[in-house]
Amino acid sequence: MRTLNLVQAVREALDLALAKDERVLVFGEDVGRLGGVFRVTEGLQEKYGEGRVFDTPLAESGILGLAIGLAMGGMRPVAEIQFAGFLYPALDQILSHLGRWRHRSRGRVGLPVVVRAPYGGGVHTPEQHADSPEAILAHTPGVKVVIPSSPERAKGLLLAAIEDEDPVFFLEAIKLYRGSRAEVPEGYYTLPLGKARVLREGGAATLVGYGGMVEVMLEAAEVAAREGVEVTVVDLETLVPLDEDTLLEAVRETGRAIVVYEAMRTGGFGAEIAARIAEGALDYLQAPVLRVAGWDAPYPPFSAVEHHYRPNAKRVLAALRQVLTH
């Protein structure tokens, strides 16, 4: 089977969606002629024309407003926000309208909008380019939040998101774009939204994360295994709706949980995971739930100290020692 990186897998999914359904439109800043800042949409405008793959002004609120209007008119827009940290000017559209129309219209009007955005650090980007705002999106009623951790998962999940009848935010870890390759099935396939995956099983503790932190957790698990400590690794993949059954079952099996995410610690989605564990698995816990996260400060731009901010395997292993010696 051929291997693709995350950029190629997402591009292939968009290509297949555009070919399958004439209602699918792809647009955003520089996605047309340039092919996107990361070249995810490269070649799609040439193939499908300027009417279906097109550039927008540098106005994120306008991009979201356009997506909402097109969806209300029967189209299936896939909007790209150049970096997730640029979503903030669009929060009014997101918080006040995007997720509310299903409820506002008493179920009659859904908005099949997909908003793609690169997020997270690891590649020394300027200020705001490495932000991880998934907790803000997850706190928005009426939207789904999906964060894939590998090329093959990204392709199937994105196609499922485009088929969904309600808004989906699809965040893609910048660090993973060209950081690795994986076998990706050819042709059209979807993967279910709202399902977590157990990537590795072990009895000592459970590591829980998503997106760019999955490779960090797997690296830590590999190091721990060489020292005779086997851990379970859970890739949540979809934050909303959260697969609480898989999460709680994995934690109940080990009695110890470490949540790993690269957004700032306070108010991050990891706090929600810890709360769900406390509500559903408290009687099974042998140690407090720990969070390994970014610090409560803006992500350092262009910085040689970036590796101190973004969680790595060393910090995960330190947390693992802490829960094992509690």
Side-chain angles (χ1 to χ4, degrees), residues 64 68 93-94 96-101 111 113 115 142-143 167 169:
L64 265 294
I68 292 169
Q93 295 285 1
I94 295 169
S96 301
H97 302 293
L98 183 63
R100 294 179 184 267
W101 268 99
L111 297 180
V113 172
V115 182
V143 308
F169 282 91

Side-chain angles (χ1 to χ4, degrees), residues 198-313:
V198 177
L199 301 181
R200 183 173 180 137
E201 292 187 83
T206 300
L207 309 182
V208 182
Y210 46 87
M213 289 294 101
V214 171
E215 67 171 7
V216 172
M217 294 191 298
L218 289 172
E219 181 185 354
E222 189 61 36
V223 173
R226 290 202 291 268
E227 298 178 3
V229 178
E230 295 289 348
V231 300
T232 293
V233 176
V234 177
D235 176 8
L236 292 178
E237 213 163 63
T238 302
L239 306 193
V240 180
L242 182 66
D243 182 358
E244 197 171 285
D245 290 342
T246 299
L247 168 67
L248 295 179
E249 183 179 347
V251 174
R252 287 169 183 153
E253 287 291 326
T254 66
R256 300 178 177 87
I258 298 167
V259 186
V260 187
Y261 58 107
E262 57 185 301
M264 52 186 282
R265 181 174 184 270
T266 298
F269 193 74
E272 176 64 25
I273 299 170
R276 300 287 184 103
I277 294 172
E279 290 170 349
L282 182 64
D283 293 340
Y284 296 82
L285 292 178
Q286 301 178 47
V289 178
L290 295 187
R291 288 174 285 169
V292 178
W295 306 110
D296 288 345
Y299 196 96
F302 296 123
S303 176
V305 300
E306 182 178 20
H307 63 286
H308 290 295
Y309 187 98
R310 189 172 187 266
N312 54 30

Side-chain angles (χ1 to χ4, degrees), residues 27-31 34 36-38 58 60 63 79-87 115-119 129 172 174 177:
F27 54 89
E29 297 164 3
D30 292 327
V31 305
L34 182 65
V37 68
F38 290 103
L58 303 181
E60 287 77 13
I63 293 170
E80 177 182 303
I81 298 297
Q82 211 164 56
F83 292 89
F86 297 175
L87 275 168
V115 182
R116 294 182 40 252
Y119 86 98
H129 292 61
E172 301 154 8
I174 297 173
Y177 264 158

Side-chain angles (χ1 to χ4, degrees), residues 204-205 207 220 224 229 231 258 315-325:
L207 309 182
V229 178
V231 300
I258 298 167
R315 287 178 58 193
V316 175
L317 288 167
L320 180 59
R321 291 188 194 94
Q322 192 174 338
V323 298
L324 290 176
T325 56

